[in-house]
Amino acid sequence: QVQLVESGGGLVQAGGSLRLSCEASGRTFSTNAMGWIRQAPGKEREFVAAITSRSSSTDYADSVKGRFTLSRDNAKNTVYLQMNSLKPEDTAVYYCAAASLTQTIMNVRATYWGQGTQVTVSS
């Protein structure tokens, strides 16, 4: 069993930055792919970014490439999403996700989900 707790969301002006963190409990953290999925008001959930268990590979949605950076620290059971050059269209609830494969997260599925953290970008 893995429990995920997100932090770092908030309100920021367009062009600003935020860093989301997701701390996981459970001994299987280092064996799971991790990532972020977001849901904007009135829209379906969409893939944001995913990273393999050993940080050997990361994948990003086209809409965030070059602006967002995903990393993880297995010693701290934590994954980080650095978000730069934020846009109003990045406004959403961001969910931390864990799964065996990054492809699962890219398909907007996960074995484990966090509760979500709100990110609001004002224009």
Side-chain angles (χ1 to χ4, degrees), residues 2-40:
V2 175
Q3 292 184 320
L4 306 175
V5 179
E6 303 101 332
S7 61
L11 173 64
V12 65
Q13 289 188 331
S17 299
L18 283 174
R19 188 175 82 155
L20 304 184
S21 299
C22 173
E23 185 172 358
S25 64
R27 292 179 291 177
T28 60
F29 173 81
S30 63
T31 64
N32 278 280
M34 299 293 297
W36 293 87
I37 289 166
R38 69 186 182 186
Q39 187 169 21

Side-chain angles (χ1 to χ4, degrees), residues 3 29 45 51 68 70 75 94 115 120:
Q3 292 184 320
F29 173 81
R45 291 187 178 185
I51 188 168
F68 290 11
L70 182 61
Y94 283 70
Q115 292 298 307
T120 303

Side-chain angles (χ1 to χ4, degrees), residues 65-76:
K65 277 181 183 176
R67 301 188 297 121
F68 290 11
T69 302
L70 182 61
S71 61
R72 67 189 293 165
D73 185 339
N74 285 348
K76 296 182 178 180

Side-chain angles (χ1 to χ4, degrees), residues 112-123:
Y112 304 103
W113 293 88
Q115 292 298 307
T117 185
Q118 177 70 46
V119 171
T120 303
V121 184
S122 63
S123 58

Side-chain angles (χ1 to χ4, degrees), residues 52-75:
T52 54
S53 61
R54 302 291 185 184
S55 302
S56 59
S57 176
T58 53
D59 292 283
Y60 297 94
D62 288 343
S63 59
V64 306
K65 277 181 183 176
R67 301 188 297 121
F68 290 11
T69 302
L70 182 61
S71 61
R72 67 189 293 165
D73 185 339
N74 285 348

